[in-house]
Amino acid sequence: MTDLTGRAAGPEVGSVALRIEGLSKTFGEHTVLKNVDLAVRHGVVTCLLGPSGSGKSTLLRCMAFLEEHDAGIITVYGEPLGFAPKPDGGRQRLPNAQVARVRRAIGMVFQQFNLWPHMTALGNVSEALKRVRGLSRREAEARAMSVLRRVDLADRAYHYPSQLSGGQQQRVAIARALAMEPRIMLFDEPTSSLDPELTGEVLSVMRHLAQEGMTMVVVTHEIGFAAQVASDVAFLDKGEILLRGLAKEIFAKPWHPRLADFLETYLDRGAAVLV
Amino acid sequence: MSLDLDLMIHSIPAALRGAGITVVMWIGGGLVAFAIGFLVALARRYGGRWVRWGLAGPIEILRGTPFLIQLFLLYYGGPFIGLRLEPYEAGFLGTSIYGAAYFSEIIRAGFEAVPRGHVEAATVLGLTRTQTVARILVPEMTLLILPSSINMMIVLLKETAVLSIITVPELTLVVTAIGSAHFAFVEALLLLALVYWGIVEAASALGRGLEAGLARYRMV
């Protein structure tokens, strides 16, 4: 097993970028996440796998503090996100300004793209640069344009989302998140609402990002992508992390029966050969 | 018995003067109604529980009672609580309040129809709540409610006919008065219907143009 509970925090590859300790989340009566521990390593890709309803998307949303966790502590590069531990063992809710500051390290890409339909691709990417970073319109658009170039969409900068294909929309959404220069990128099933022939262009952008050393957490059903690109894998089932470790070890020997079953369903559907 | 076309034609200038007042009451009242409705919708979305409850009651009453009765109460009942209004004032205020109740519901539903993810995207990117409302929610909501708002404006135009009962010299009052003076009720009502219909058609055409112009901003 790899050291996913490493103690060191810092910029070198393999150190802990985001740490989750004892996280629980319930919606009403329903417990979605039970006492989850996870360390996301800096500079590598972590994939969260698991069947539908296993809580992997909720876990990812907690990392962006879009869901407030009911117990546990999340730290992003050492700083607590949303809740800080108190000396007496409890925890306190941090003010929203603090949440926003820590969240600056986080970029997120959603299954449904969530582009703003009334703005062009360029408008979508430059909006937060103007409003949050305080850049002038010119600076913001110049930077937005260079990020759109990175996702190979400079020629679509003045198109509205409704005029773009799903794959192009998702690449704009990736550019929008990247423009803010986050230290960690979260991907919530980024290809699940795309036609199969459009998933490739999105996965290829993500592959490039990974090669550049971006810290990424990816919830995905693209087992092939996970096997090729992820360094670390966590497999969730019924709100718990059943196993985690290096992707190459986990995929080579899916010794846990639940994981083996899970992978089997993909192979049954003719998924690409793993590893 | 035949239609007195001559009378109808000669009544057109007077009818147009009345129509001018109708349009002022309608557009002016409609804009104020929209503005109040917008603020009410915002307050119901972001205000506390007491604000929500406090606003829900009056809206239900305004939507649940006839405009005619609201206007009567405002104009003839107002003086009992020290509210003495000229017919114009009562008419304008009445139209604004009545319209605001409906617009607040249209806008509230519009806010709710904006996908939650669009707001979440803004949140993760660091936009403040005010920025999110101003830059994301309001523009998206406006596009979504355009058809129902145009529809509401058409309903409101026809409701302004009720202002005649508190003696606002708008279209309905002016033209029915001509009809009474000449015992030519059918001609008057026919002319009245034609002018209203003309205004509605013009408004609808404007609305269609607006919707077509904004089509590219639509969600896929």
Side-chain angles (χ1 to χ4, degrees):
Chain A
M1 288 290 287
T2 183
D3 176 29
L4 279 182
T5 56
R7 294 278 164 243
E12 69 270 25
V13 173
S15 62
V16 174
L18 185 148
R19 185 190 301 281
I20 293 169
E21 288 167 294
L23 182 143
S24 293
K25 175 71 189 169
T26 57
F27 290 119
E29 302 275 282
H30 186 55
T31 302
V32 187
L33 292 167
K34 281 172 250 172
N35 198 25
V36 169
D37 294 310
L38 184 71
V40 171
R41 295 192 297 151
H42 177 82
V44 302
V45 176
T46 302
C47 273
L48 303 181
L49 303 177
S52 302
S54 59
K56 55 198 189 306
S57 277
T58 304
L59 181 59
L60 194 77
R61 289 167 59 78
C62 284
M63 295 183 198
F65 208 58
L66 286 176
E67 305 290 350
E68 298 199 11
H69 43 295
D70 299 314
I73 297 294
I74 299 175
T75 50
V76 178
Y77 290 101
E79 287 199 75
L81 174 66
F83 295 93
K86 284 199 293 193
D88 65 5
R91 51 176 211 162
Q92 67 175 107
R93 173 69 157 84
L94 297 166
N96 286 331
Q98 159 87 1
V99 171
R101 197 173 57 75
V102 176
R103 195 152 48 191
R104 279 185 153 211
I106 305 285
M108 185 151 181
V109 174
F110 301 85
Q111 181 179 351
Q112 300 296 338
F113 326 138
N114 290 334
L115 292 181
W116 303 309
H118 57 294
M119 295 181 193
T120 60
L122 191 67
N124 267 280
V125 181
S126 61
E127 181 66 18
L129 292 171
K130 287 183 281 197
R131 313 279 154 193
V132 182
R133 287 287 190 273
L135 297 189
S136 72
R137 190 194 159 98
R138 261 175 88 126
E139 292 171 306
E141 292 190 349
R143 198 196 286 186
M145 196 54 115
S146 79
V147 185
L148 280 173
R149 214 167 284 129
R150 274 174 75 188
V151 297
D152 202 20
L153 280 174
D155 58 333
R156 294 285 185 275
Y158 297 97
H159 285 55
Y160 285 88
S162 62
Q163 301 165 323
L164 298 171
S165 73
Q168 290 170 333
Q169 288 187 55
Q170 190 61 299
R171 283 187 283 150
V172 172
I174 292 172
R176 178 173 68 176
L178 284 179
M180 298 298 280
E181 296 175 328
R183 304 180 74 183
I184 304 172
M185 283 283 280
L186 308 178
F187 293 84
D188 188 6
E189 303 199 27
T191 57
S192 294
S193 51
L194 292 174
D195 291 337
E197 72 268 24
L198 297 177
T199 59
E201 58 188 84
V202 171
L203 292 176
S204 134
V205 166
M206 292 170 64
R207 222 171 254 127
H208 272 115
L209 266 182
Q211 280 158 9
E212 289 167 12
M214 173 62 81
T215 307
M216 294 161 63
V217 184
V218 186
V219 170
T220 187
H221 293 287
E222 297 282 343
I223 302 295
F225 174 85
Q228 286 168 13
V229 180
S231 298
D232 299 340
V233 166
F235 180 73
L236 280 86
D237 191 34
K238 300 194 180 84
E240 290 175 289
I241 293 190
L242 273 192
L243 69 162
R244 62 191 154 198
L246 287 177
K248 55 184 180 219
E249 290 172 5
I250 285 209
F251 285 119
K253 289 176 298 206
W255 53 269
H256 197 288
R258 287 289 297 133
L259 176 66
D261 286 352
F262 178 74
L263 293 178
E264 197 65 38
T265 64
Y266 282 91
L267 292 174
D268 283 350
R269 283 188 260 143
V273 179
L274 303 172
V275 192
Chain B
M1 209 173 142
S2 64
L3 278 180
D4 187 350
L5 284 177
D6 233 29
L7 177 67
M8 286 177 74
I9 290 162
H10 281 99
S11 303
I12 287 175
L16 289 180
R17 276 195 300 278
I21 291 170
T22 288
V23 168
V24 168
M25 290 285 156
W26 167 49
I27 299 286
L31 288 176
V32 173
F34 190 90
I36 299 173
F38 177 75
L39 293 176
V40 169
L42 268 188
R44 289 183 78 182
R45 188 178 168 92
Y46 294 109
R49 191 191 320 163
W50 294 111
V51 175
R52 283 206 295 276
W53 280 52
L55 289 169
I59 288 167
E60 284 311 302
I61 292 168
L62 286 166
R63 297 202 313 150
T65 54
F67 184 44
L68 179 77
I69 291 169
Q70 294 170 18
L71 211 56
F72 261 130
L73 281 175
L74 182 65
Y75 185 63
Y76 297 110
F80 287 98
I81 54 162
L83 187 69
R84 262 167 238 286
L85 297 170
E86 294 299 313
Y88 282 110
E89 296 167 346
F92 194 91
L93 189 63
T95 308
S96 303
I97 294 172
Y98 174 76
Y102 282 92
F103 272 124
S104 77
E105 280 294 293
I106 291 173
I107 294 167
R108 186 187 58 78
F111 276 135
E112 277 170 20
V114 174
R116 201 154 59 104
H118 294 195
V119 174
E120 290 178 347
T123 305
V124 178
L125 287 164
L127 271 73
T128 62
R129 188 156 89 181
T130 314
Q131 287 171 335
T132 305
V133 171
R135 299 288 304 165
I136 312 300
L137 273 174
V138 169
E140 288 198 35
M141 173 279 289
T142 307
L143 288 168
L144 291 171
I145 67 167
L146 201 60
S148 46
S149 294
I150 291 164
N151 199 40
M152 182 61 220
M153 283 303 281
I154 287 168
V155 170
L156 205 57
L157 167 67
K158 293 187 283 185
E159 289 284 15
T160 59
V162 175
L163 301 191
S164 59
I165 61 137
I166 59 164
T167 71
V168 176
E170 45 68 71
L171 186 58
T172 301
L173 184 75
V174 170
V175 177
T176 50
I178 294 170
S180 304
H182 296 87
F183 294 103
F185 300 104
V186 176
E187 285 85 348
L189 292 173
L190 200 58
L191 178 63
L192 194 56
L194 282 173
V195 178
Y196 274 116
W197 183 54
I199 301 175
V200 167
E201 280 307 309
S204 304
L206 204 69
R208 279 194 299 273
L210 206 58
E211 279 181 55
L214 296 172
R216 65 179 167 167
Y217 302 113
R218 263 203 300 264
M219 269 166 258
V220 214

